[in-house]
Amino acid sequence: MKPFGPLLLVLAVLASAASGQDAPPAPVPIELPKIDIDGSVDDLLAQLSLEDKAGQMTQLTIGALSRAAATAQDPDGHRIDEEKLRHALVEKRLGSIINMDGAAFSAKHWQTLITTIQEIATAETAHKIPVLYGIDHVHGANYIHEATLFPHATGLAATRNLELAEMAAAVCARETRAVGIPWTFAPVLDVGRQPLWSRFYSTFGEDVHLCSAFGEAMVRGLQGSGISAPDRVAACGKHFIGYSFPFSGRDRTQVLVPERYLREYFLPPFWDAIDNTGLKTIMVNSSEINGIPVHANHSILTKLLRGQIGFEGVVVSDWEDIKKLHDYHRVAPTMKEAVRLAVDAGIDLCMVPYDFSFTDLLVELVNEGAIREEVLDESVRRILRLKYELGLFEDPFPAADAVEIIGNVEAGELSLRAARESLVLLKNDGALPIGPETRILLTGPGCDLRSPLHGPWSYTWQGRDEEAYPRSIPTLLHAFQAAHGRENVRFVPGTTYDGIIDLERAANAAHAADVIVCVLAEEPGAEQAGNIDDLALPAAQARLVRAVSFGKPLVLVLLGNRPRIITESDSLANAVLWAGYPGPKGGQAVYEALRGIFNPSGKLPFTYPRAPHNLVAYDHKFSDTADRHFGFNGFNPLYEFGHGLSYTTFESGNLVVPVTELTLADTLEFSIDVANTGAREGSETVEVFVRDLYASITPPVKRLRDFRKITLAPGESRTLTFRIPVSDLSFHNQQNMPVVEPGEFELQVGGQSAKFTVL
Ligand code: NOJ
């Protein structure tokens, strides 16, 4: 057990009980499995041959079993190749299949496909073992054409609304399971501390506590209180571990990190999700840490994950990563040695995903005595147990009428709410809200495309194919015109993502408008396709901002993956709204935020850098003023983690800490008053930071230890009470163990601070 683990759970329960926000829907009552799962797994395992076991440990992409892929124009153009499928299931005893082929399918097509697969698996194979189908549904069921999509993870984290995130995940689970898919490769539990990284958008930001809290909320939403329920799925925490911290920022490249740092900043979201939510599966980091590819790292996958953390679920490799031990990482001179290394390290299921090389080599390795068959037994036991827990042995088929709930109105409203709450108002000199009769010029590359609202993993893997998006989803331009009147909204693109179209036309149109809304955007790129060499905003977009900046109110809207450097553009703008990838309701939400139809409440889940090399997180080490110690650390961001404005004002005061001398077994309790001192209703997130004044490892200036979002009417005030177990204030010491050292601490909350001592 992780030291202090259960205390985290207690705190989460207390926090959610006290939050007063909408509760997620009650889980559908679950019938407990009538079968003894362990007994059934043992009986079945005893009947399996070596070839059966190797097959169960194999996962192929559906693309390898198809004869035609779906296209954006024809989402149901996908055709399964029944001969290949039968060969895979019957001859090769394939245990698992993943993803879609080409572009998202319709729900009906999915149902037919899953039914075909499960019919062959359960009727024609020797042991009638159902297939474990998994899919990348990472911000809603993004590979089902009619499904509900939500903001990507950075946006959800900006909402600071855990209940909302849990509800969004529950919708994803319900819509995924409705087509017969019981497993999704989500959530991403990587911590976003490298803004250059191509998958930054898929993290809950730079803070460990935030990532843990949102990761747990997502797993709760996906798995509910039991994964055999017809509206839940097994979740997959990924990518264990350290994947988000490549030295160069490029995807799947070298991570250089001390073990202490790995444990302090990257391990907790995984450990917490396993301990507190019963996370069922884990996907492995594709890259190498300190020279050892994680897929070949026994110390990480077995000693740490199984031994220390006690994870009992399934560990799946990432795409082709066992092969990559041979032909990319080059730690295995042959593919066979790569298989040996990975299975020995602790991989249960190999996402091969195109052929049976892994399967055949695994059989050979066991026959040659290079791998013990008992090692396979352990992995297959976990895979079969998951299939039993999902209820697949009882019924692996989708219910025909289940598709009716997909993309329903209620889920769409939740997506709109998530989009609204995800928006972060970074700057406002009074230009916002925009009045109802104003003439708006929309300019910039993000105005009339659906892809930069959605980001990657949207109908296609990269999310770039505009044709793949349902026409019913409004672009930002459509949403503005629908709500503000076509006659009052003019659109001149000005630039593409990185090329100039016509700056002069944009500037001329700006002269004729009352307000200029410049929608800066980053083209989606899921993994390697999202690699960049420069965090600066593309020059063309910076030039567009200059061209339309001449004294008229100028509003920047930022769509995209990560904080591109906008320091100059920001200085020219009157207001700036960060929107990330807000999803299908993003156009409407952005319009309503700028008009003040609702009051923005999002808070940055990352630190917005001022310069490309000034990549310092908010919880940096001690940083003094420039005239003393030369301003070590130079923390001078454009906007700090937690920043986010409102159309009302809040004031906090009366921080009361009744007991200021505490032991490790105690709980720090305090209260603070928060008042809405402005003229309209608004939501505020109170973030609780603690600073360890002196420690044996250089302490950060502060760490987020709790947060709570509340809504207050004008003039209303509320006293919030927090309880934080002292054990939650730990850090990893020189022995890489979490400790709380005696000494003085400083509590920082709502602009107030108070000291307390741990004895
Ligand atoms: C590669 C990605 O790294 C991972 O996140 C995803 O789940 C798998 N491929 C499956 O598509």
Side-chain angles (χ1 to χ4, degrees), residues 93-163:
R93 301 109 203 261
L94 178 69
S96 181
I97 304 180
I98 51 165
N99 276 350
M100 50 87 215
D101 188 19
F105 309 156
S106 74
K108 275 284 171 211
H109 185 83
W110 270 120
Q111 283 206 334
T112 310
L113 175 65
I114 300 293
T115 302
T116 305
I117 292 169
Q118 299 294 25
E119 272 172 1
I120 297 177
T122 58
E124 299 182 30
T125 65
H127 301 286
K128 312 198 177 330
I129 304 175
V131 166
L132 178 62
Y133 205 108
I135 197 158
D136 283 303
H137 280 172
V138 294
H139 65 132
N142 43 253
Y143 284 156
I144 301 174
H145 209 257
E146 305 87 341
T148 312
L149 272 59
F150 292 91
H152 266 290
T154 35
L156 287 183
T159 69
R160 296 295 198 273
N161 187 335
L162 295 172
E163 286 81 4

Coordinates of all heavy atoms in Angstrom, one line a residue, residues 93-163:
R93 N -6.5 -17.7 -32.2 CA -7.1 -17.5 -30.8 C -6.9 -16.1 -30.3 O -6.6 -15.9 -29.1 CB -6.4 -18.5 -29.8 CG -6.6 -20.0 -30.2 CD -5.3 -20.6 -30.6 NE -5.5 -21.7 -31.5 CZ -5.4 -23.0 -31.1 NH1 -5.2 -23.3 -29.9 NH2 -5.5 -24.0 -32.0
L94 N -7.0 -15.1 -31.2 CA -6.9 -13.7 -30.8 C -7.8 -13.3 -29.7 O -9.0 -13.6 -29.7 CB -7.2 -12.9 -32.1 CG -7.1 -11.4 -31.9 CD1 -5.7 -10.9 -31.7 CD2 -7.7 -10.6 -33.1
G95 N -7.2 -12.6 -28.7 CA -8.0 -12.2 -27.5 C -8.6 -10.9 -27.5 O -9.5 -10.6 -26.8
S96 N -8.0 -9.9 -28.3 CA -8.4 -8.5 -28.2 C -8.2 -7.8 -29.5 O -7.3 -8.1 -30.3 CB -7.6 -7.9 -27.1 OG -7.9 -6.5 -26.9
I97 N -9.1 -6.8 -29.7 CA -9.1 -6.0 -31.0 C -9.3 -4.6 -30.6 O -9.9 -4.3 -29.6 CB -10.2 -6.4 -31.9 CG1 -10.2 -7.9 -32.2 CG2 -10.2 -5.6 -33.2 CD1 -11.2 -8.4 -33.2
I98 N -8.6 -3.6 -31.3 CA -8.8 -2.2 -31.0 C -9.2 -1.3 -32.2 O -8.9 -1.6 -33.3 CB -7.5 -1.6 -30.5 CG1 -6.3 -1.9 -31.4 CG2 -7.2 -2.0 -29.1 CD1 -5.1 -0.9 -31.1
N99 N -9.8 -0.2 -31.8 CA -10.1 1.0 -32.6 C -10.9 0.8 -33.8 O -11.5 -0.2 -34.1 CB -8.7 1.7 -32.9 CG -8.3 2.6 -31.7 OD1 -9.1 2.8 -30.8 ND2 -7.1 3.1 -31.7
M100 N -11.0 1.9 -34.6 CA -11.8 1.9 -35.8 C -10.8 1.9 -37.0 O -9.6 1.8 -36.8 CB -12.7 3.1 -35.9 CG -12.1 4.5 -35.6 SD -11.4 5.2 -37.1 CE -9.9 6.0 -36.5
D101 N -11.4 1.9 -38.1 CA -10.5 1.8 -39.3 C -10.9 3.0 -40.3 O -11.9 3.0 -40.9 CB -10.8 0.5 -40.0 CG -9.9 0.2 -41.2 OD1 -8.8 0.8 -41.2 OD2 -10.2 -0.7 -42.0
G102 N -10.0 4.0 -40.3 CA -10.2 5.1 -41.2 C -10.9 6.3 -40.5 O -10.3 7.3 -40.2
A103 N -12.2 6.2 -40.3 CA -13.0 7.3 -39.7 C -14.1 6.7 -38.9 O -14.4 5.5 -39.0 CB -13.6 8.2 -40.8
A104 N -14.6 7.5 -37.9 CA -15.7 7.0 -37.0 C -16.8 6.3 -37.8 O -17.1 6.7 -38.9 CB -16.2 8.2 -36.2
F105 N -17.3 5.2 -37.2 CA -18.5 4.5 -37.8 C -19.8 5.0 -37.1 O -19.7 5.6 -36.0 CB -18.4 3.0 -37.5 CG -17.1 2.3 -37.8 CD1 -16.8 1.1 -37.2 CD2 -16.2 2.8 -38.8 CE1 -15.6 0.4 -37.5 CE2 -15.0 2.1 -39.1 CZ -14.7 0.9 -38.4
S106 N -20.9 4.7 -37.8 CA -22.2 4.9 -37.1 C -22.4 3.9 -36.0 O -21.7 2.8 -36.0 CB -23.3 4.8 -38.1 OG -23.5 3.5 -38.4
A107 N -23.2 4.3 -35.1 CA -23.5 3.3 -34.0 C -24.0 2.0 -34.5 O -23.6 0.9 -33.9 CB -24.5 4.0 -33.0
K108 N -24.9 2.0 -35.5 CA -25.4 0.8 -36.0 C -24.3 -0.1 -36.6 O -24.3 -1.3 -36.4 CB -26.5 1.1 -37.1 CG -27.9 1.4 -36.5 CD -28.5 0.1 -36.0 CE -29.8 0.3 -35.2 NZ -30.0 -0.7 -34.2
H109 N -23.4 0.6 -37.3 CA -22.3 -0.2 -37.9 C -21.5 -0.8 -36.8 O -21.1 -2.0 -37.0 CB -21.5 0.7 -38.8 CG -20.4 0.0 -39.6 ND1 -20.7 -0.7 -40.8 CD2 -19.1 -0.3 -39.3 CE1 -19.6 -1.3 -41.2 NE2 -18.6 -1.1 -40.3
W110 N -21.2 -0.1 -35.8 CA -20.5 -0.6 -34.7 C -21.2 -1.9 -34.1 O -20.6 -2.9 -33.9 CB -20.3 0.4 -33.6 CG -19.1 1.2 -33.7 CD1 -19.1 2.6 -33.8 CD2 -17.7 0.8 -33.6 NE1 -17.7 3.0 -33.8 CE2 -16.9 2.0 -33.8 CE3 -17.1 -0.4 -33.6 CZ2 -15.5 1.9 -33.8 CZ3 -15.7 -0.5 -33.6 CH2 -14.9 0.7 -33.7
Q111 N -22.5 -1.7 -33.9 CA -23.2 -2.9 -33.3 C -23.1 -4.1 -34.2 O -22.9 -5.2 -33.7 CB -24.7 -2.5 -33.1 CG -24.9 -1.6 -31.9 CD -26.3 -1.7 -31.4 OE1 -27.2 -2.1 -32.1 NE2 -26.5 -1.4 -30.1
T112 N -23.2 -3.9 -35.5 CA -23.2 -5.1 -36.4 C -21.8 -5.7 -36.3 O -21.6 -6.9 -36.3 CB -23.5 -4.6 -37.8 OG1 -24.7 -3.9 -37.8 CG2 -23.6 -5.8 -38.8
L113 N -20.8 -4.8 -36.3 CA -19.4 -5.3 -36.3 C -19.1 -6.1 -35.0 O -18.5 -7.2 -35.1 CB -18.4 -4.1 -36.4 CG -16.9 -4.5 -36.3 CD1 -16.5 -5.3 -37.5 CD2 -16.1 -3.2 -36.3
I114 N -19.4 -5.5 -33.9 CA -19.1 -6.2 -32.6 C -19.9 -7.5 -32.5 O -19.4 -8.5 -32.1 CB -19.5 -5.2 -31.4 CG1 -18.7 -3.9 -31.5 CG2 -19.3 -6.0 -30.1 CD1 -17.2 -4.1 -31.3
T115 N -21.1 -7.5 -33.0 CA -21.9 -8.7 -33.0 C -21.3 -9.8 -33.8 O -21.1 -10.9 -33.4 CB -23.4 -8.4 -33.5 OG1 -23.9 -7.4 -32.7 CG2 -24.3 -9.6 -33.5
T116 N -20.8 -9.4 -35.0 CA -20.1 -10.4 -35.9 C -18.9 -11.0 -35.2 O -18.7 -12.2 -35.2 CB -19.7 -9.7 -37.2 OG1 -20.8 -9.1 -37.8 CG2 -19.0 -10.7 -38.2
I117 N -18.1 -10.1 -34.6 CA -16.9 -10.6 -33.9 C -17.2 -11.5 -32.8 O -16.7 -12.6 -32.6 CB -16.1 -9.3 -33.4 CG1 -15.5 -8.5 -34.6 CG2 -15.0 -9.8 -32.4 CD1 -15.0 -7.2 -34.1
Q118 N -18.2 -11.1 -32.0 CA -18.5 -11.9 -30.8 C -19.2 -13.2 -31.2 O -19.0 -14.2 -30.5 CB -19.3 -11.1 -29.8 CG -18.6 -9.9 -29.2 CD -17.4 -10.1 -28.4 OE1 -16.7 -11.2 -28.5 NE2 -17.0 -9.2 -27.5
E119 N -19.9 -13.2 -32.3 CA -20.6 -14.4 -32.7 C -19.5 -15.5 -33.0 O -19.6 -16.6 -32.6 CB -21.5 -14.2 -33.9 CG -22.9 -13.8 -33.5 CD -23.8 -13.3 -34.6 OE1 -23.3 -13.3 -35.8 OE2 -24.9 -12.9 -34.4
I120 N -18.5 -15.1 -33.8 CA -17.5 -16.0 -34.2 C -16.7 -16.5 -32.9 O -16.5 -17.7 -32.7 CB -16.6 -15.4 -35.2 CG1 -17.3 -15.1 -36.5 CG2 -15.4 -16.3 -35.5 CD1 -16.5 -14.4 -37.6
A121 N -16.4 -15.5 -32.1 CA -15.6 -15.8 -30.9 C -16.3 -16.8 -30.0 O -15.7 -17.7 -29.4 CB -15.2 -14.5 -30.1
T122 N -17.6 -16.6 -29.8 CA -18.3 -17.4 -28.8 C -19.0 -18.6 -29.4 O -19.4 -19.5 -28.7 CB -19.4 -16.6 -28.1 OG1 -20.3 -16.0 -29.0 CG2 -18.7 -15.4 -27.3
A123 N -19.0 -18.7 -30.7 CA -19.6 -19.9 -31.3 C -18.6 -20.8 -32.0 O -18.8 -22.0 -32.0 CB -20.8 -19.5 -32.3
E124 N -17.6 -20.2 -32.6 CA -16.8 -21.1 -33.5 C -15.4 -21.4 -32.9 O -14.7 -22.2 -33.5 CB -16.6 -20.3 -34.8 CG -17.9 -20.1 -35.5 CD -17.7 -19.4 -36.9 OE1 -16.7 -19.6 -37.5 OE2 -18.6 -18.7 -37.3
T125 N -15.0 -20.8 -31.8 CA -13.7 -21.0 -31.3 C -13.8 -22.2 -30.2 O -14.8 -22.4 -29.7 CB -13.0 -19.8 -30.6 OG1 -13.8 -19.4 -29.5 CG2 -13.0 -18.6 -31.5
A126 N -12.6 -22.8 -30.0 CA -12.6 -24.0 -29.1 C -13.1 -23.7 -27.7 O -13.9 -24.5 -27.2 CB -11.2 -24.5 -29.1
H127 N -12.7 -22.5 -27.2 CA -13.1 -22.3 -25.8 C -14.2 -21.2 -25.6 O -14.5 -20.8 -24.5 CB -11.8 -21.9 -25.0 CG -10.8 -23.0 -25.0 ND1 -11.0 -24.1 -24.3 CD2 -9.7 -23.1 -25.7 CE1 -9.9 -24.9 -24.6 NE2 -9.1 -24.3 -25.4
K128 N -14.7 -20.7 -26.7 CA -15.8 -19.7 -26.7 C -15.5 -18.5 -25.9 O -16.3 -18.0 -25.1 CB -17.1 -20.4 -26.3 CG -17.3 -21.7 -27.0 CD -18.7 -22.2 -26.9 CE -19.0 -23.5 -27.7 NZ -18.1 -23.7 -28.9
I129 N -14.3 -18.0 -26.0 CA -13.9 -16.8 -25.1 C -14.2 -15.6 -25.9 O -13.7 -15.4 -27.0 CB -12.4 -16.9 -24.8 CG1 -12.0 -18.2 -24.1 CG2 -12.0 -15.7 -24.0 CD1 -10.5 -18.4 -23.9
P130 N -15.0 -14.7 -25.3 CA -15.4 -13.4 -26.0 C -14.1 -12.6 -26.2 O -13.2 -12.7 -25.5 CB -16.4 -12.8 -25.1 CG -16.2 -13.4 -23.8 CD -15.7 -14.8 -24.0
V131 N -14.2 -11.7 -27.2 CA -13.1 -10.8 -27.5 C -13.2 -9.5 -26.6 O -14.3 -9.0 -26.4 CB -13.2 -10.4 -29.0 CG1 -12.3 -9.2 -29.3 CG2 -12.8 -11.6 -29.9
L132 N -12.1 -9.1 -26.2 CA -12.0 -7.8 -25.4 C -11.7 -6.7 -26.5 O -10.6 -6.6 -27.0 CB -10.9 -7.9 -24.4 CG -10.6 -6.7 -23.6 CD1 -11.8 -6.4 -22.7 CD2 -9.4 -6.9 -22.7
Y133 N -12.8 -5.9 -26.7 CA -12.6 -4.8 -27.7 C -12.3 -3.5 -27.0 O -13.0 -3.1 -26.1 CB -13.9 -4.7 -28.6 CG -13.6 -4.1 -29.9 CD1 -13.7 -4.8 -31.1 CD2 -13.2 -2.7 -30.1 CE1 -13.4 -4.3 -32.3 CE2 -12.9 -2.2 -31.3 CZ -13.0 -2.9 -32.4 OH -12.7 -2.4 -33.7
G134 N -11.3 -2.9 -27.4 CA -10.9 -1.6 -26.7 C -10.8 -0.5 -27.7 O -10.6 -0.7 -28.9
I135 N -11.0 0.8 -27.3 CA -11.1 1.9 -28.2 C -10.6 3.2 -27.6 O -10.7 3.4 -26.4 CB -12.5 2.0 -28.8 CG1 -12.5 2.9 -30.0 CG2 -13.4 2.6 -27.7 CD1 -13.7 2.7 -30.9
D136 N -10.0 4.1 -28.4 CA -9.6 5.4 -27.9 C -10.7 6.4 -27.8 O -10.8 7.3 -28.6 CB -8.5 5.9 -28.8 CG -7.1 5.2 -28.6 OD1 -6.6 5.2 -27.5 OD2 -6.6 4.7 -29.6
H137 N -11.6 6.2 -26.9 CA -12.6 7.2 -26.6 C -12.1 8.1 -25.5 O -12.2 7.8 -24.3 CB -13.9 6.5 -26.3 CG -14.6 6.0 -27.5 ND1 -15.8 5.3 -27.4 CD2 -14.4 6.2 -28.8 CE1 -16.2 5.0 -28.7 NE2 -15.3 5.6 -29.5
V138 N -11.5 9.2 -25.9 CA -10.7 10.0 -24.9 C -11.4 11.3 -24.6 O -11.0 11.9 -23.5 CB -9.3 10.3 -25.4 CG1 -8.5 9.0 -25.5 CG2 -9.2 11.0 -26.8
H139 N -12.3 11.8 -25.4 CA -13.1 13.0 -24.9 C -14.5 12.8 -25.4 O -15.1 13.6 -26.2 CB -12.5 14.3 -25.4 CG -12.4 14.6 -26.9 ND1 -12.9 15.7 -27.4 CD2 -12.0 13.8 -27.9 CE1 -12.7 15.7 -28.7 NE2 -12.2 14.5 -29.0
G140 N -15.1 11.8 -24.8 CA -16.4 11.3 -25.3 C -16.1 10.1 -26.3 O -15.0 9.7 -26.5
A141 N -17.2 9.6 -26.8 CA -17.1 8.4 -27.7 C -16.7 8.9 -29.1 O -17.5 8.8 -30.0 CB -18.4 7.6 -27.7
N142 N -15.5 9.3 -29.2 CA -15.1 10.1 -30.4 C -15.0 9.3 -31.7 O -14.7 9.9 -32.8 CB -13.8 10.9 -30.2 CG -12.8 10.1 -29.5 OD1 -12.5 10.3 -28.3 ND2 -12.1 9.1 -30.1
Y143 N -15.2 8.0 -31.6 CA -15.2 7.2 -32.9 C -16.6 6.6 -33.2 O -16.7 5.6 -34.0 CB -14.2 6.0 -32.8 CG -12.7 6.5 -32.9 CD1 -11.7 5.7 -32.4 CD2 -12.3 7.6 -33.6 CE1 -10.3 6.1 -32.5 CE2 -11.0 8.0 -33.8 CZ -10.0 7.2 -33.2 OH -8.7 7.6 -33.4
I144 N -17.6 7.2 -32.5 CA -19.0 6.8 -32.9 C -19.6 8.1 -33.5 O -19.6 9.1 -32.9 CB -19.8 6.4 -31.7 CG1 -19.2 5.2 -31.0 CG2 -21.2 6.0 -32.1 CD1 -19.8 4.7 -29.7
H145 N -20.1 8.0 -34.7 CA -20.4 9.2 -35.5 C -21.5 10.0 -34.8 O -21.4 11.3 -34.8 CB -20.9 8.8 -36.9 CG -20.7 9.8 -37.9 ND1 -21.6 10.7 -38.3 CD2 -19.5 10.2 -38.4 CE1 -21.1 11.6 -39.2 NE2 -19.8 11.3 -39.2
E146 N -22.4 9.4 -34.1 CA -23.5 10.2 -33.5 C -23.2 10.6 -32.0 O -24.1 11.2 -31.3 CB -24.8 9.4 -33.5 CG -25.3 8.9 -34.8 CD -24.7 7.5 -35.2 OE1 -23.7 7.1 -34.6 OE2 -25.2 6.8 -36.0
A147 N -22.1 10.2 -31.5 CA -21.8 10.3 -30.0 C -21.6 11.8 -29.6 O -21.5 12.7 -30.4 CB -20.7 9.5 -29.7
T148 N -21.5 11.9 -28.3 CA -21.3 13.2 -27.6 C -19.9 13.4 -27.3 O -19.3 12.6 -26.6 CB -22.1 13.3 -26.3 OG1 -23.4 12.8 -26.5 CG2 -22.2 14.7 -25.8
L149 N -19.3 14.5 -27.9 CA -17.9 14.8 -27.6 C -17.8 16.0 -26.6 O -18.8 16.8 -26.5 CB -17.1 15.2 -28.9 CG -16.5 14.0 -29.6 CD1 -17.6 13.0 -30.0 CD2 -15.8 14.4 -30.8
F150 N -16.7 16.0 -25.8 CA -16.5 17.0 -24.8 C -15.2 17.7 -25.0 O -14.4 17.3 -25.8 CB -16.5 16.2 -23.4 CG -17.9 15.6 -23.0 CD1 -18.2 14.3 -23.4 CD2 -18.8 16.4 -22.4 CE1 -19.4 13.8 -23.1 CE2 -20.0 15.9 -22.0 CZ -20.4 14.6 -22.4
P151 N -14.9 18.7 -24.2 CA -13.6 19.3 -24.2 C -12.5 18.3 -23.9 O -12.8 17.3 -23.2 CB -13.6 20.4 -23.1 CG -15.1 20.7 -22.9 CD -15.8 19.4 -23.2
H152 N -11.4 18.5 -24.5 CA -10.2 17.6 -24.1 C -9.9 17.9 -22.7 O -10.3 18.8 -22.0 CB -9.0 17.9 -25.0 CG -9.0 16.9 -26.2 ND1 -8.7 15.6 -26.1 CD2 -9.2 17.1 -27.5 CE1 -8.8 15.0 -27.3 NE2 -9.1 15.9 -28.2
A153 N -8.9 17.1 -22.2 CA -8.6 17.0 -20.7 C -8.2 18.4 -20.1 O -8.6 18.7 -19.0 CB -7.6 16.0 -20.4
T154 N -7.4 19.2 -20.9 CA -6.9 20.5 -20.3 C -8.2 21.3 -20.0 O -8.2 22.0 -19.1 CB -6.0 21.2 -21.2 OG1 -6.3 21.0 -22.6 CG2 -4.5 20.9 -21.0
G155 N -9.1 21.2 -21.0 CA -10.4 22.0 -20.8 C -11.2 21.5 -19.6 O -11.7 22.3 -18.8
L156 N -11.3 20.2 -19.4 CA -12.0 19.7 -18.3 C -11.3 20.1 -17.0 O -12.0 20.5 -16.0 CB -12.1 18.2 -18.3 CG -13.0 17.6 -19.3 CD1 -13.0 16.0 -19.2 CD2 -14.4 18.1 -19.2
A157 N -10.0 20.1 -17.0 CA -9.3 20.5 -15.8 C -9.5 22.0 -15.5 O -9.6 22.4 -14.3 CB -7.8 20.3 -15.9
A158 N -9.6 22.8 -16.5 CA -9.9 24.2 -16.4 C -11.3 24.5 -15.7 O -11.4 25.5 -15.0 CB -9.8 25.0 -17.7
T159 N -12.2 23.6 -15.9 CA -13.5 23.8 -15.2 C -13.4 23.7 -13.7 O -14.2 24.2 -13.0 CB -14.5 22.7 -15.6 OG1 -14.1 21.4 -15.0 CG2 -14.7 22.6 -17.1
R160 N -12.4 23.0 -13.2 CA -12.2 22.7 -11.8 C -13.4 22.1 -11.2 O -13.7 22.3 -10.0 CB -11.8 24.0 -11.0 CG -10.5 24.7 -11.3 CD -9.3 23.8 -11.0 NE -8.1 24.6 -11.0 CZ -7.3 24.9 -12.0 NH1 -7.6 24.4 -13.2 NH2 -6.2 25.6 -11.9
N161 N -14.2 21.4 -12.0 CA -15.4 20.8 -11.6 C -15.4 19.3 -11.8 O -15.6 18.8 -12.9 CB -16.6 21.4 -12.5 CG -17.9 21.0 -12.0 OD1 -18.1 20.0 -11.3 ND2 -18.9 21.8 -12.3
L162 N -15.1 18.7 -10.7 CA -14.9 17.2 -10.7 C -16.1 16.4 -11.0 O -16.1 15.4 -11.7 CB -14.3 16.7 -9.4 CG -12.9 17.3 -9.0 CD1 -12.5 16.9 -7.6 CD2 -11.9 16.7 -10.0
E163 N -17.3 16.9 -10.5 CA -18.5 16.3 -10.8 C -18.9 16.3 -12.3 O -19.3 15.3 -12.9 CB -19.7 16.9 -10.0 CG -19.6 16.6 -8.5 CD -18.7 17.4 -7.7 OE1 -18.1 18.4 -8.3 OE2 -18.5 17.2 -6.5

